[in-house]
Amino acid sequence: MPLPSRQTVRAGLFLLFVLTLVCLPFAVFGEEFVLPLLKTREQQVGALTVIAVALLAVDSVAPVPATLVIMYLAAKAGWLAGVIGGTIGMSAGVLAAAWLGRVAVGRIAPRFFPDAEIARLRGSLQRRLGLTLACLRSVPVLAEASVIIAAAMGIPVRRIVLVTLVPNFLVALVYSLAADDSFSTAVITFLATMVVSYAVWRLVPEPRREG
C-alpha cells in the first residue's frame, strides 16, 4: 500500500486543525446552556427570535446546536419565525465563520501549504463553491468548517455569504416545518437532508475549466 503524499498529509492535517477548532467549544463548554437560555424567553416571540439569531450567529465559535435552535424557535414562535430567524442567524453565522477563516485561519494556512498550492485549492473550491457549501449547510461541524476553509483559501467573504443565502433559507424552512411534527420526524428529516445533500454533490458534474 503506497504511503500518502506530503500534499495529502498536509491537507489532512489542515482539515483536522479546522475541525478541531470547530469542535473544541463543544468539548470544553458543552451545549447544555442553549435550551435553558431559549426557555427563558419562550413566551416572548420577539425576544426568543433575537436570542435564537444571536446563538446561530456565533455557531462557528460557540457550542450551539443549530438544528435544535431552529426547531425550538419554530415550535414556540411559529414556523415563519423559525424560517426568518433561522435564515438570518445562519447567514450571520456564515459571515462570522468566514471572517474567522480569513483573519485567523488564513494566516495559518501558509504553514500547511505553499502559495502555489493555496492558489490551486482556491481555484478548485471556486469551481464548486456554491454546490459544496450548499450541500454541507445541513451537516454539523462540516457546515462551519467548509466556510472557514473557503475563506482561509482566499475566497471573498461576500461571495461565501451570497452563495449560502438560499441554502440557509432551505435548511431553516425544512427544520421549521419539521418542528410541528414528532421528534422521530425531525430525526428522519435531519438524516434525509444529509443524504440528499451528499447525493447532489456527488451527482452534479464539476464545471469544466475554461481555456
Side-chain angles (χ1 to χ4, degrees):
M1 180 178 179
L3 294 175
S5 65
R6 292 181 61 185
Q7 176 182 323
T8 301
V9 172
R10 286 198 299 263
L13 290 174
F14 181 71
L15 177 60
L16 180 61
F17 168 75
V18 175
L19 292 176
T20 302
L21 186 67
V22 174
C23 293
L24 191 60
F26 285 92
V28 175
F29 301 107
E31 58 186 54
E32 291 77 13
F33 74 97
V34 173
L35 195 56
L37 180 60
L38 291 169
K39 286 182 177 180
T40 61
R41 293 293 185 269
E42 66 179 5
Q43 302 300 326
Q44 301 170 286
V45 173
L48 178 61
T49 303
V50 170
I51 292 175
V53 169
L55 286 171
L56 293 171
V58 299
D59 188 20
S60 59
V61 294
V64 177
T67 302
L68 172 63
V69 172
I70 295 172
M71 294 185 68
Y72 189 90
L73 175 61
K76 298 300 181 180
W79 71 270
L80 186 59
V83 173
I84 295 174
T87 303
I88 294 174
M90 291 180 69
S91 297
V94 169
L95 179 61
W99 179 85
L100 176 65
R102 171 60 61 88
V103 174
V105 181
R107 296 180 179 179
I108 299 173
R111 296 172 180 253
F112 291 88
F113 309 105
D115 292 342
E117 182 62 15
I118 290 178
R120 189 191 69 79
L121 291 172
R122 180 168 59 248
S124 178
L125 282 171
Q126 290 273 23
R127 289 192 296 275
R128 291 174 66 103
L129 181 68
L131 181 63
T132 299
L133 296 185
C135 290
L136 292 176
R137 292 315 296 155
S138 62
V139 184
V141 179
L142 292 181
E144 297 80 21
S146 60
V147 170
I148 292 172
I149 290 172
M153 292 296 105
I155 294 177
V157 172
R158 183 173 181 273
R159 186 181 177 205
I160 293 173
V161 173
L162 287 177
V163 300
T164 54
L165 281 177
V166 172
N168 286 339
F169 167 76
L170 294 176
V171 170
L173 178 63
V174 167
Y175 288 118
S176 294
L177 295 178
D180 290 333
D181 213 321
S182 64
F183 176 75
S184 59
T185 300
V187 173
I188 293 172
T189 302
F190 172 74
L191 295 175
T193 54
M194 289 198 296
V195 171
V196 171
S197 295
Y198 178 75
V200 170
W201 189 85
R202 291 286 297 178
L203 293 175
V204 174
E206 180 176 344
R208 295 181 179 179
R209 298 183 183 182
E210 296 182 359

